[in-house]
Amino acid sequence: MNYDKSFRRRWLSLFVENQIGVLARISGLLSGKSYNIHSLTVGETQDRAISRMTVCLDADDKTFEQIMKQLNRSIEVIKVIDITDASIRSKEVMFIKIKGINERDRAEVFQMAQAFKFRIKDMDHNSVLVEAVRTEIVNDSILNLINERFKNIEVVRGGPVAIESISMQDR
């Protein structure tokens, strides 16, 4: 048999029952099969009985087809949408705490925030907390920039959420 071994980034939008244990069962289903999950985010929809999961994973065509079949067979899954090739809007929340800085460093962080459009959310005399709600690629760039300049940082990333665009603009 000839398998397509070209892995690429895939996006799924799942509508699931908003019940205890559903996230664990879905993530367990994916990790139990050794699928490489890049990120998984979940939150309630406008209907409190339904949650929407955004799953980003790396898979080849055959593996991705298996994932789709398994998710569609899951009792708690209401709907599975492959948005891999769709025009989508995607954002990720990232917090970076920069510690052990002086006044000059703080001024530099404020200049970076202005230039790269991230927000200063909190600070004290030797630390600054920044928030970036951007695409994953832009957040990677912001993190690289801060990481080059400051060594004492703490990073928390929420993982991207995505929705199909209304217009045909690119990601």
Side-chain angles (χ1 to χ4, degrees):
M1 275 194 198
N2 186 10
Y3 294 107
D4 179 12
K5 295 295 181 186
S6 61
F7 278 69
R8 70 181 182 120
R9 183 79 22 108
R10 314 289 180 132
W11 290 85
L12 288 173
S13 183
L14 308 176
F15 291 88
V16 299
E17 295 174 2
N18 187 10
Q19 297 177 353
I20 295 171
V22 172
L23 173 61
R25 283 190 290 280
I26 298 297
S27 63
L29 181 145
L30 294 170
S31 64
K33 302 293 183 184
S34 299
Y35 300 139
N36 187 18
I37 300 171
H38 180 69
S39 70
L40 189 153
T41 58
V42 62
E44 284 183 357
T45 65
Q46 67 279 6
D47 179 346
R48 297 189 76 174
I50 299 173
S51 289
R52 185 174 184 153
M53 291 183 170
T54 303
V55 182
C56 183
L57 50 90
D58 297 322
D60 60 24
D61 290 340
K62 183 174 177 57
T63 302
F64 190 63
E65 186 178 316
Q66 290 173 338
I67 292 167
M68 295 283 289
K69 285 178 183 176
Q70 288 175 335
L71 290 170
N72 276 309
R73 282 194 300 256
S74 180
I75 294 168
E76 301 92 355
V77 175
I78 299 164
K79 188 175 185 178
V80 179
I81 304 169
D82 175 7
I83 58 174
T84 301
D85 296 321
S87 180
I88 61 173
R89 296 291 175 170
S90 174
K91 295 288 183 211
E92 174 194 54
V93 174
M94 177 176 68
F95 289 103
I96 304 172
K97 190 183 294 181
I98 306 167
K99 301 180 272 188
I101 62 173
N102 57 35
E103 203 170 308
R104 192 182 97 244
D105 293 335
R106 188 173 23 261
E108 186 176 349
V109 173
F110 273 81
Q111 288 175 335
M112 288 177 172
Q114 199 170 28
F116 296 99
K117 296 182 174 81
F118 56 82
R119 293 187 175 126
I120 307 297
K121 297 305 281 187
D122 196 10
M123 67 179 175
D124 65 14
H125 62 281
N126 64 354
S127 299
V128 174
L129 178 65
V130 302
E131 174 192 64
V133 181
R134 308 292 299 276
T135 65
E136 185 180 13
I137 292 168
V138 173
N139 278 351
D140 286 342
S141 298
I142 291 168
L143 179 57
N144 289 338
L145 178 71
I146 290 174
N147 213 12
E148 286 173 6
R149 175 60 184 91
F150 304 100
K151 298 305 172 207
N152 192 2
I153 67 171
E154 183 179 342
V155 179
V156 177
R157 296 179 86 159
V161 293
I163 192 167
E164 292 174 283
S165 292
I166 294 170
S167 66
M168 296 306 291
Q169 295 179 2
D170 292 333
R171 299 174 202 220

PDB file of all heavy atoms in Angstrom, residues 11 38-41 54 90-94 136 156-162:
ATOM      1  N   TRP A  11      -7.126  21.670  10.865  1.00  0.00           N
ATOM      2  CA  TRP A  11      -8.010  22.371  11.808  1.00  0.00           C
ATOM      3  C   TRP A  11      -9.371  21.706  11.817  1.00  0.00           C
ATOM      4  O   TRP A  11      -9.953  21.464  10.762  1.00  0.00           O
ATOM      5  CB  TRP A  11      -8.192  23.821  11.384  1.00  0.00           C
ATOM      6  CG  TRP A  11      -6.971  24.673  11.548  1.00  0.00           C
ATOM      7  CD1 TRP A  11      -5.948  24.807  10.661  1.00  0.00           C
ATOM      8  CD2 TRP A  11      -6.657  25.506  12.646  1.00  0.00           C
ATOM      9  NE1 TRP A  11      -5.015  25.672  11.152  1.00  0.00           N
ATOM     10  CE2 TRP A  11      -5.426  26.119  12.368  1.00  0.00           C
ATOM     11  CE3 TRP A  11      -7.302  25.798  13.843  1.00  0.00           C
ATOM     12  CZ2 TRP A  11      -4.825  27.016  13.245  1.00  0.00           C
ATOM     13  CZ3 TRP A  11      -6.702  26.693  14.714  1.00  0.00           C
ATOM     14  CH2 TRP A  11      -5.477  27.282  14.412  1.00  0.00           C
ATOM     15  N   HIS A  38      -1.609  19.701  18.197  1.00  0.00           N
ATOM     16  CA  HIS A  38      -0.867  20.959  18.318  1.00  0.00           C
ATOM     17  C   HIS A  38      -1.510  21.832  19.392  1.00  0.00           C
ATOM     18  O   HIS A  38      -0.840  22.379  20.244  1.00  0.00           O
ATOM     19  CB  HIS A  38      -0.817  21.668  16.970  1.00  0.00           C
ATOM     20  CG  HIS A  38      -0.081  22.955  16.990  1.00  0.00           C
ATOM     21  ND1 HIS A  38       1.275  23.030  17.168  1.00  0.00           N
ATOM     22  CD2 HIS A  38      -0.514  24.221  16.880  1.00  0.00           C
ATOM     23  CE1 HIS A  38       1.641  24.284  17.171  1.00  0.00           C
ATOM     24  NE2 HIS A  38       0.567  25.030  16.989  1.00  0.00           N
ATOM     25  N   SER A  39      -2.829  21.971  19.336  1.00  0.00           N
ATOM     26  CA  SER A  39      -3.555  22.707  20.375  1.00  0.00           C
ATOM     27  C   SER A  39      -5.007  22.270  20.388  1.00  0.00           C
ATOM     28  O   SER A  39      -5.530  21.758  19.396  1.00  0.00           O
ATOM     29  CB  SER A  39      -3.456  24.217  20.160  1.00  0.00           C
ATOM     30  OG  SER A  39      -4.209  24.603  19.030  1.00  0.00           O
ATOM     31  N   LEU A  40      -5.633  22.481  21.546  1.00  0.00           N
ATOM     32  CA  LEU A  40      -7.030  22.155  21.714  1.00  0.00           C
ATOM     33  C   LEU A  40      -7.620  23.200  22.647  1.00  0.00           C
ATOM     34  O   LEU A  40      -7.141  23.373  23.760  1.00  0.00           O
ATOM     35  CB  LEU A  40      -7.166  20.753  22.321  1.00  0.00           C
ATOM     36  CG  LEU A  40      -8.559  20.143  22.376  1.00  0.00           C
ATOM     37  CD1 LEU A  40      -8.459  18.630  22.365  1.00  0.00           C
ATOM     38  CD2 LEU A  40      -9.341  20.601  23.561  1.00  0.00           C
ATOM     39  N   THR A  41      -8.605  23.929  22.160  1.00  0.00           N
ATOM     40  CA  THR A  41      -9.285  24.921  22.988  1.00  0.00           C
ATOM     41  C   THR A  41     -10.770  24.601  22.988  1.00  0.00           C
ATOM     42  O   THR A  41     -11.292  24.013  22.041  1.00  0.00           O
ATOM     43  CB  THR A  41      -9.065  26.363  22.481  1.00  0.00           C
ATOM     44  OG1 THR A  41      -9.519  26.451  21.131  1.00  0.00           O
ATOM     45  CG2 THR A  41      -7.606  26.755  22.549  1.00  0.00           C
ATOM     46  N   THR A  54     -11.903  23.813  19.243  1.00  0.00           N
ATOM     47  CA  THR A  54     -11.042  24.048  18.095  1.00  0.00           C
ATOM     48  C   THR A  54      -9.831  23.153  18.300  1.00  0.00           C
ATOM     49  O   THR A  54      -9.110  23.288  19.293  1.00  0.00           O
ATOM     50  CB  THR A  54     -10.607  25.518  18.004  1.00  0.00           C
ATOM     51  OG1 THR A  54     -11.770  26.346  17.946  1.00  0.00           O
ATOM     52  CG2 THR A  54      -9.746  25.764  16.777  1.00  0.00           C
ATOM     53  N   SER A  90      -8.403  33.380  13.027  1.00  0.00           N
ATOM     54  CA  SER A  90      -7.802  32.653  14.135  1.00  0.00           C
ATOM     55  C   SER A  90      -7.049  33.616  15.042  1.00  0.00           C
ATOM     56  O   SER A  90      -6.363  34.527  14.558  1.00  0.00           O
ATOM     57  CB  SER A  90      -6.837  31.596  13.579  1.00  0.00           C
ATOM     58  OG  SER A  90      -6.140  30.970  14.625  1.00  0.00           O
ATOM     59  N   LYS A  91      -7.190  33.412  16.343  1.00  0.00           N
ATOM     60  CA  LYS A  91      -6.459  34.212  17.339  1.00  0.00           C
ATOM     61  C   LYS A  91      -6.028  33.302  18.475  1.00  0.00           C
ATOM     62  O   LYS A  91      -6.652  32.287  18.750  1.00  0.00           O
ATOM     63  CB  LYS A  91      -7.323  35.339  17.916  1.00  0.00           C
ATOM     64  CG  LYS A  91      -7.726  36.396  16.924  1.00  0.00           C
ATOM     65  CD  LYS A  91      -6.568  37.262  16.532  1.00  0.00           C
ATOM     66  CE  LYS A  91      -7.071  38.352  15.594  1.00  0.00           C
ATOM     67  NZ  LYS A  91      -6.108  38.774  14.637  1.00  0.00           N
ATOM     68  N   GLU A  92      -4.968  33.721  19.130  1.00  0.00           N
ATOM     69  CA  GLU A  92      -4.442  33.019  20.288  1.00  0.00           C
ATOM     70  C   GLU A  92      -4.142  34.048  21.367  1.00  0.00           C
ATOM     71  O   GLU A  92      -3.619  35.118  21.072  1.00  0.00           O
ATOM     72  CB  GLU A  92      -3.157  32.294  19.903  1.00  0.00           C
ATOM     73  CG  GLU A  92      -2.464  31.648  21.077  1.00  0.00           C
ATOM     74  CD  GLU A  92      -1.041  31.225  20.776  1.00  0.00           C
ATOM     75  OE1 GLU A  92      -0.254  32.079  20.327  1.00  0.00           O
ATOM     76  OE2 GLU A  92      -0.725  30.062  21.001  1.00  0.00           O
ATOM     77  N   VAL A  93      -4.463  33.715  22.610  1.00  0.00           N
ATOM     78  CA  VAL A  93      -4.112  34.576  23.736  1.00  0.00           C
ATOM     79  C   VAL A  93      -2.757  34.115  24.263  1.00  0.00           C
ATOM     80  O   VAL A  93      -2.533  32.919  24.454  1.00  0.00           O
ATOM     81  CB  VAL A  93      -5.159  34.483  24.865  1.00  0.00           C
ATOM     82  CG1 VAL A  93      -4.704  35.272  26.082  1.00  0.00           C
ATOM     83  CG2 VAL A  93      -6.503  34.965  24.394  1.00  0.00           C
ATOM     84  N   MET A  94      -1.864  35.077  24.482  1.00  0.00           N
ATOM     85  CA  MET A  94      -0.554  34.779  25.056  1.00  0.00           C
ATOM     86  C   MET A  94      -0.225  35.832  26.106  1.00  0.00           C
ATOM     87  O   MET A  94      -0.383  37.026  25.861  1.00  0.00           O
ATOM     88  CB  MET A  94       0.523  34.789  23.971  1.00  0.00           C
ATOM     89  CG  MET A  94       1.933  34.560  24.510  1.00  0.00           C
ATOM     90  SD  MET A  94       3.207  34.454  23.226  1.00  0.00           S
ATOM     91  CE  MET A  94       3.229  36.147  22.612  1.00  0.00           C
ATOM     92  N   GLU A 136      -1.227  32.983  15.883  1.00  0.00           N
ATOM     93  CA  GLU A 136      -0.142  32.187  16.464  1.00  0.00           C
ATOM     94  C   GLU A 136       1.223  32.601  15.892  1.00  0.00           C
ATOM     95  O   GLU A 136       2.207  32.697  16.627  1.00  0.00           O
ATOM     96  CB  GLU A 136      -0.425  30.711  16.188  1.00  0.00           C
ATOM     97  CG  GLU A 136       0.539  29.761  16.836  1.00  0.00           C
ATOM     98  CD  GLU A 136       0.206  28.313  16.518  1.00  0.00           C
ATOM     99  OE1 GLU A 136      -0.602  28.043  15.615  1.00  0.00           O
ATOM    100  OE2 GLU A 136       0.789  27.454  17.190  1.00  0.00           O
ATOM    101  N   VAL A 156       2.565  31.953  29.026  1.00  0.00           N
ATOM    102  CA  VAL A 156       1.353  31.137  29.013  1.00  0.00           C
ATOM    103  C   VAL A 156       0.643  31.423  27.689  1.00  0.00           C
ATOM    104  O   VAL A 156       0.397  32.581  27.353  1.00  0.00           O
ATOM    105  CB  VAL A 156       0.416  31.484  30.198  1.00  0.00           C
ATOM    106  CG1 VAL A 156      -0.872  30.671  30.107  1.00  0.00           C
ATOM    107  CG2 VAL A 156       1.100  31.253  31.517  1.00  0.00           C
ATOM    108  N   ARG A 157       0.334  30.350  26.960  1.00  0.00           N
ATOM    109  CA  ARG A 157      -0.385  30.474  25.696  1.00  0.00           C
ATOM    110  C   ARG A 157      -1.669  29.669  25.767  1.00  0.00           C
ATOM    111  O   ARG A 157      -1.681  28.557  26.261  1.00  0.00           O
ATOM    112  CB  ARG A 157       0.482  29.988  24.541  1.00  0.00           C
ATOM    113  CG  ARG A 157       1.726  30.853  24.379  1.00  0.00           C
ATOM    114  CD  ARG A 157       2.593  30.369  23.270  1.00  0.00           C
ATOM    115  NE  ARG A 157       2.160  30.932  22.006  1.00  0.00           N
ATOM    116  CZ  ARG A 157       2.945  31.017  20.939  1.00  0.00           C
ATOM    117  NH1 ARG A 157       4.173  30.561  20.978  1.00  0.00           N
ATOM    118  NH2 ARG A 157       2.477  31.541  19.831  1.00  0.00           N
ATOM    119  N   GLY A 158      -2.741  30.271  25.239  1.00  0.00           N
ATOM    120  CA  GLY A 158      -4.050  29.634  25.315  1.00  0.00           C
ATOM    121  C   GLY A 158      -4.365  28.705  24.168  1.00  0.00           C
ATOM    122  O   GLY A 158      -5.339  27.966  24.228  1.00  0.00           O
ATOM    123  N   GLY A 159      -3.583  28.715  23.131  1.00  0.00           N
ATOM    124  CA  GLY A 159      -3.906  27.916  21.960  1.00  0.00           C
ATOM    125  C   GLY A 159      -4.871  28.669  21.067  1.00  0.00           C
ATOM    126  O   GLY A 159      -5.723  29.411  21.545  1.00  0.00           O
ATOM    127  N   PRO A 160      -4.749  28.497  19.772  1.00  0.00           N
ATOM    128  CA  PRO A 160      -5.604  29.251  18.856  1.00  0.00           C
ATOM    129  C   PRO A 160      -7.046  28.768  18.835  1.00  0.00           C
ATOM    130  O   PRO A 160      -7.320  27.589  19.005  1.00  0.00           O
ATOM    131  CB  PRO A 160      -4.944  29.027  17.486  1.00  0.00           C
ATOM    132  CG  PRO A 160      -4.098  27.825  17.639  1.00  0.00           C
ATOM    133  CD  PRO A 160      -3.753  27.687  19.083  1.00  0.00           C
ATOM    134  N   VAL A 161      -7.953  29.708  18.670  1.00  0.00           N
ATOM    135  CA  VAL A 161      -9.344  29.414  18.353  1.00  0.00           C
ATOM    136  C   VAL A 161      -9.566  29.899  16.933  1.00  0.00           C
ATOM    137  O   VAL A 161      -8.880  30.812  16.472  1.00  0.00           O
ATOM    138  CB  VAL A 161     -10.341  30.080  19.332  1.00  0.00           C
ATOM    139  CG1 VAL A 161     -10.218  29.481  20.709  1.00  0.00           C
ATOM    140  CG2 VAL A 161     -10.179  31.565  19.365  1.00  0.00           C
ATOM    141  N   ALA A 162     -10.491  29.269  16.227  1.00  0.00           N
ATOM    142  CA  ALA A 162     -10.700  29.628  14.828  1.00  0.00           C
ATOM    143  C   ALA A 162     -12.167  29.516  14.475  1.00  0.00           C
ATOM    144  O   ALA A 162     -12.901  28.709  15.044  1.00  0.00           O
ATOM    145  CB  ALA A 162      -9.875  28.716  13.915  1.00  0.00           C
TER     146      ALA A 162
END
